[in-house]
Amino acid sequence: MDCLFCKIIAGEIPSAKVYEDEFVFAFKDIQPIAPVHYLFVPKPHICCAKKITAENSGSVAKIFEAIAKVAEDEGLESYRVINNCGEDAGQSVMHLHFHLLAGKKMGWGEQSLG
Ligand code: 5GP
Ligand code: ZN
């Protein structure tokens, strides 16, 4: 399968890894929009939030456990977690991922992170 994030998980494309366990891989976003900008992805390929089911939703739980661990380790008091699902929402890589953003005061609204 020609999937960028599957290749990053497999180590075929280099990334700045920040966390890894049996279920989750996390790495620095190549174009950060906040001082802390990490991507958390499930190791099994899931294209997007639309395809989360009772069978694979355990991966999402593991991702949020990993986010809590990394945030604790890095002393992040405040942070935002974002999933873009579908083209209009800004999803550009079709492997489910959650953006972890921190390190700046964030507004709320469509343009607030652009
Ligand atoms: P999306 O727009 O799909 O929600 O998020 C995809 C994210 O992946 C973007 O923030 C983009 O900067 C990041 N990204 C795209 N290609 C690469 C890459 O090769 N390496 C890393 N580390 N991040 C990437
Ligand atoms: Zn993939």
Side-chain angles (χ1 to χ4, degrees), residues 1-7 9 42-47 93-96:
M1 194 192 319
D2 197 22
C3 170
L4 175 64
F5 288 174
C6 281
K7 287 179 183 162
I9 293 163
K43 285 192 170 174
H45 180 88
I46 302 170
C47 77
V93 179
M94 294 307 288
H95 181 128
L96 181 67

Side-chain angles (χ1 to χ4, degrees), residues 2 4 7 10 12 19-20 23 27 29-30 36 42 45 47-48 61 63 65 69-70 72-73 82 90 95 102 107:
D2 197 22
L4 175 64
K7 287 179 183 162
E12 290 163 18
Y19 179 85
E20 182 174 15
F23 309 97
F27 52 100
D29 196 294
I30 207 164
V36 175
H45 180 88
C47 77
C48 53
I63 283 174
E65 289 178 38
K69 270 187 209 140
V70 169
E72 169 82 22
D73 288 352
I82 294 179
H95 181 128

Side-chain angles (χ1 to χ4, degrees), residues 4-5 8 13-16 27-33 37 39 82-86 89-95 97-99:
L4 175 64
F5 288 174
I8 285 179
I13 291 175
S15 69
F27 52 100
K28 292 186 180 176
D29 196 294
I30 207 164
Q31 282 188 294
I33 61 166
H37 187 171
L39 299 171
I82 294 179
N83 168 253
N84 296 322
C85 179
Q91 184 174 8
S92 60
V93 179
M94 294 307 288
H95 181 128
H97 53 280
F98 294 84
H99 299 255

Side-chain angles (χ1 to χ4, degrees), residues 30-86:
I30 207 164
Q31 282 188 294
I33 61 166
V36 175
H37 187 171
Y38 303 154
L39 299 171
F40 286 74
V41 306
K43 285 192 170 174
H45 180 88
I46 302 170
C47 77
C48 53
K50 281 178 211 164
K51 297 293 183 189
I52 296 171
T53 63
E55 283 69 45
N56 65 22
S57 61
S59 289
V60 179
K62 294 291 180 190
I63 283 174
F64 275 80
E65 289 178 38
I67 288 171
K69 270 187 209 140
V70 169
E72 169 82 22
D73 288 352
E74 301 203 7
L76 306 178
E77 286 292 326
S78 275
Y79 54 89
R80 182 171 290 175
V81 179
I82 294 179
N83 168 253
N84 296 322
C85 179

